Amino acid sequence: MRKSYITNMNASEIPRLRLQNTGLSHSPFKSPANAVSHLGAVQAQNFAAAKWALGLRVKNSTDEDIEKAFNEGTILRTHVMRPTWHFVVPEDIRWMLELTAPRVKALLAHYNRKLDLDDALFARSNAEIARALQSHTYLTRQELKIVLTSIGIETDVQRLAHIIMWAELDGLICSGPRRGKQFTYALLEERAEKTKKLDREQALAKLALNYFTGHGPAQLKDFSWWSGLTVKYARDALDLIKSELKQATFDGKTYWFPAHEEVTIPKSPSAFLLSIYDEYTIAYKDRSDISKARDIERMISMGNALTAVIILNGKVAGTWNKALKKSTFEIRLNPFRQLKEDEQEALGSEVIRYGKFVGIPAVLVK
């Protein structure tokens, strides 16, 4: 790889710069916490895929390394910014919740009314959850269900999900260490030490700077989508940090990105096997710079039915899937076009890389 410095950006460089700034092109981070802190937050409703997303960015890391960081609490998982799980670091979790949880709660209000959930019930459920988790007690969702049922709170699947999410949004609970393959919950105050409080302006500025340095070049509407902030508040946040960024406009679209960025230029072609929820694919409202709209939007709409995409030279180029067969992972590629020989070789290297990460040999099959 060689390095260059950005002077004047053109539209074709957007994918290359995003690969650099999201940490994919050169795996620059020393730990999972470093990667999450740089990106601000990492979407993580698919836990295995989210671990792989961090593994791609943390040099020479393994699935066990990411799992260890999660269990030790150097990265936490909670509902924040949008109504889905994200990895965040302990020092950011409180101000991020204070800034974005009100918007998420507003989005949930209609569903809560349909489920007969109100402030009085949440006060009861929060108090009981806090009592059950005190003194570093870690409980699974089903164990919390038993706790809540014991005080007369109905807990069908939807109600239980909303009750627990509300406790997360209130900053009461977050992820605890896994118990085998099961997820647990913990009191936030016991998983994250008290950190310096940020006022609203400071929080807006920090979230925006995290986003544009960790995801740029990106547009205002991309930041609004990713953060869950209204366009007005997203614009206010961007205004606070404009002096720290560069901008470029193409076809009426204005992009913001880190100033004086040193860019690592990978050998061509660059190839990645990503999750559909990787920050490179999911963190933008406008995904036309990395894919034809009909391709990426169709795949994202499939959600968990499709968890993996092929990226070649920064562009979505197909899908991939894996299947565990005895002692190996079988990887199948479904490219949108005929692959060149060097592209096949690059993807073959990524298959081997995935196997090393999960600790089980991965083989490419047709």
Side-chain angles (χ1 to χ4, degrees), residues 38 47 96 105 194 199 241 253 267 277 279 300 348:
H38 171 78
F47 187 67
M96 201 175 287
K105 286 183 173 182
K194 295 293 184 182
D199 63 31
I241 62 161
K253 300 176 182 179
K267 294 178 181 178
Y277 298 122
E279 289 294 299
I300 288 173

Side-chain angles (χ1 to χ4, degrees), residues 106-358:
L107 294 173
L108 295 174
H110 169 70
Y111 300 99
N112 286 342
R113 286 192 294 270
K114 290 178 66 175
L115 295 169
D116 292 324
L117 299 172
D118 57 22
D119 289 343
L121 186 141
F122 286 133
R124 287 181 63 209
S125 60
N126 277 1
E128 192 63 18
I129 289 171
R131 183 198 63 76
L133 294 178
Q134 64 186 352
S135 301
H136 298 277
T137 300
Y138 307 123
L139 298 180
T140 66
R141 177 169 294 211
Q142 287 305 304
E143 288 167 341
L144 287 177
K145 173 184 173 72
I146 294 170
V147 167
L148 294 169
T149 301
S150 72
I151 62 167
I153 294 179
E154 290 184 33
T155 53
D156 62 28
V157 173
Q158 280 191 304
R159 279 172 62 92
L160 181 62
H162 279 242
I163 288 169
I164 292 177
M165 189 190 306
W166 205 264
E168 291 177 303
L169 294 169
D170 277 345
L172 177 67
I173 65 173
C174 65
S175 58
R178 289 223 285 177
R179 189 191 305 160
K181 296 298 183 182
Q182 290 186 299
F183 292 96
T184 69
Y185 291 90
L187 290 179
L188 178 59
E189 66 180 16
E190 294 181 351
R191 292 290 272 177
E193 294 182 1
K194 295 293 184 182
T195 52
K196 182 179 178 181
K197 187 177 178 64
L198 301 183
D199 63 31
R200 183 172 179 79
E201 187 171 286
Q202 290 173 322
L204 284 170
K206 183 168 175 55
L207 192 64
L209 193 60
N210 278 345
Y211 178 75
F212 286 103
T213 57
H215 300 79
Q219 301 170 61
L220 172 65
K221 65 181 178 182
D222 297 324
F223 173 55
S224 176
W225 147 253
W226 176 84
S227 66
L229 298 173
T230 64
V231 173
K232 177 187 181 302
Y233 288 133
R235 183 178 291 109
D236 290 344
L238 178 57
D239 286 342
L240 292 169
I241 62 161
K242 278 182 176 180
S243 62
E244 301 181 56
L245 302 173
K246 282 193 171 186
Q247 71 177 95
T249 300
F250 311 106
D251 298 324
K253 300 176 182 179
T254 299
Y255 295 82
W256 299 87
F257 55 101
H260 310 298
E261 182 65 32
E262 184 181 325
V263 179
T264 301
I265 301 176
K267 294 178 181 178
S268 185
S270 64
F272 299 97
L273 301 176
L274 301 186
S275 159
I276 191 67
Y277 298 122
D278 191 279
E279 289 294 299
Y280 185 79
T281 55
I282 200 67
Y284 306 89
K285 177 71 171 178
D286 180 357
R287 303 180 180 100
S288 60
D289 293 301
I290 64 166
S291 174
K292 295 178 181 178
R294 65 176 180 270
D295 291 333
I296 190 68
E297 301 306 328
R298 174 175 54 81
M299 289 189 287
I300 288 173
S301 71
M302 294 173 68
N304 285 333
L306 176 67
T307 60
V309 295
I310 297 169
I311 301 291
L312 286 172
N313 296 320
K315 301 276 190 174
V316 174
T319 66
W320 64 284
N321 56 70
K322 64 183 185 296
L324 183 59
K325 302 289 185 179
K326 294 184 179 179
S327 59
T328 62
F329 266 114
E330 291 186 353
I331 307 293
R332 283 182 169 80
L333 305 181
N334 309 293
F336 293 153
R337 57 172 173 78
Q338 184 71 36
L339 297 176
K340 300 175 184 177
E341 184 176 347
D342 58 351
E343 292 172 334
Q344 292 176 332
E345 291 177 359
L347 287 168
S349 295
E350 290 302 293
V351 169
I352 294 171
R353 183 184 185 186
Y354 180 79
K356 289 181 178 178
F357 176 77
V358 296

Side-chain angles (χ1 to χ4, degrees), residues 79-115:
H79 282 86
V80 68
M81 300 200 304
R82 306 189 302 278
T84 192
W85 274 295
H86 285 82
F87 286 141
V88 294
V89 291
E91 54 266 35
D92 288 343
I93 192 169
R94 287 188 177 83
W95 67 260
M96 201 175 287
L97 281 168
E98 289 177 6
L99 180 64
T100 66
R103 171 85 166 156
V104 180
K105 286 183 173 182
L107 294 173
L108 295 174
H110 169 70
Y111 300 99
N112 286 342
R113 286 192 294 270
K114 290 178 66 175
L115 295 169

